Amino acid sequence: VPAIWDLRPFSLGQSHVKRVVQVLTTWRKPSPIRRLVLARFAIQIPQDLQPSFSQCFNLSPMTAEEEGNFDGDTLSRSQALSLPRLFLEDTPLPAERLPPGRFGVAELLERRALWVAVHFVRDLNLEPDMSALHGTPITVGSRPAAVSELAAAIATSRV
């Protein structure tokens, strides 16, 4: 039976991400998990773990059938044998772009999910966000750790 692994209520740490990789790479094939949904990470995920995580997911564009209702009885054999889809909240990845007004630089940094966006979004908008606090622009360059994260994610991205 196809399943959705919904991790939105949790802030994922390094051990959680390692467990996701373990489950998706070692469980029986095909895995019953068709979608993994996440919202945020508790810590910055180590750069050497990021590619292992991203390789667990389907990188082809979603089909119209996949975008429709999630009904295990209508999944084709090829879909059943494919890698699961990753979702950032309700946004399927990979994506050409993130939805307008959602997941700007500040939000991606706050969620510690910039690396996920780099791995799964082809046309990622990194223009500065205006912070709700004091109107200060938040940029990747204003945070040294984010620059390092961005460079490492770009080096290993497959989109």
Side-chain angles (χ1 to χ4, degrees), residues 26-46:
T26 62
W27 273 20
R28 67 181 173 85
K29 301 296 182 193
S31 171
I33 299 168
R34 302 309 327 134
R35 297 180 182 190
L36 185 137
V37 186
L38 59 84
R40 69 182 57 255
F41 296 90
I43 61 164
Q44 183 55 50
I45 301 303

Side-chain angles (χ1 to χ4, degrees), residues 5-10 12 17 20 36-41 53 57 86-91 93 103 111 113 115-116:
W5 193 0
D6 188 353
L7 299 174
R8 285 178 292 188
F10 309 103
L12 305 181
V17 173
V20 166
L36 185 137
V37 186
L38 59 84
R40 69 182 57 255
F41 296 90
F53 179 83
F57 300 98
L86 179 63
F87 282 70
L88 180 58
E89 292 281 353
D90 58 348
T91 302
L93 301 174
F103 307 117
R111 291 173 180 259
W115 67 273
V116 171

Side-chain angles (χ1 to χ4, degrees), residues 3-138:
I4 297 174
W5 193 0
D6 188 353
L7 299 174
R8 285 178 292 188
F10 309 103
S11 292
L12 305 181
Q14 180 177 344
S15 61
H16 300 107
V17 173
K18 284 182 178 179
R19 182 67 176 151
V20 166
V21 171
Q22 180 186 29
V23 166
L24 294 178
T25 58
T26 62
W27 273 20
R28 67 181 173 85
K29 301 296 182 193
S31 171
I33 299 168
R34 302 309 327 134
R35 297 180 182 190
L36 185 137
V37 186
L38 59 84
R40 69 182 57 255
F41 296 90
I43 61 164
Q44 183 55 50
I45 301 303
Q47 293 174 355
D48 61 335
L49 183 55
Q50 295 172 11
S52 299
F53 179 83
S54 67
Q55 291 170 5
C56 291
F57 300 98
N58 192 327
L59 288 178
S60 62
M62 286 190 74
T63 64
E65 182 181 358
E66 285 178 299
E67 289 178 1
N69 292 331
F70 184 71
D71 179 358
D73 295 333
T74 64
L75 289 175
S76 69
R77 178 165 168 69
S78 64
Q79 287 173 311
L81 297 174
S82 68
L83 295 171
R85 291 280 177 197
L86 179 63
F87 282 70
L88 180 58
E89 292 281 353
D90 58 348
T91 302
L93 301 174
E96 188 65 33
R97 289 175 199 83
L98 292 172
R102 297 213 40 217
F103 307 117
V105 171
E107 185 175 355
L108 290 171
L109 291 171
E110 186 270 325
R111 291 173 180 259
R112 295 181 177 93
L114 177 61
W115 67 273
V116 171
V118 171
H119 277 274
F120 291 98
V121 180
R122 286 180 184 84
D123 184 8
L124 183 59
N125 181 358
L126 294 176
E127 291 182 20
D129 277 349
M130 292 304 288
S131 170
L133 303 172
H134 313 299
T136 306
I138 302 213

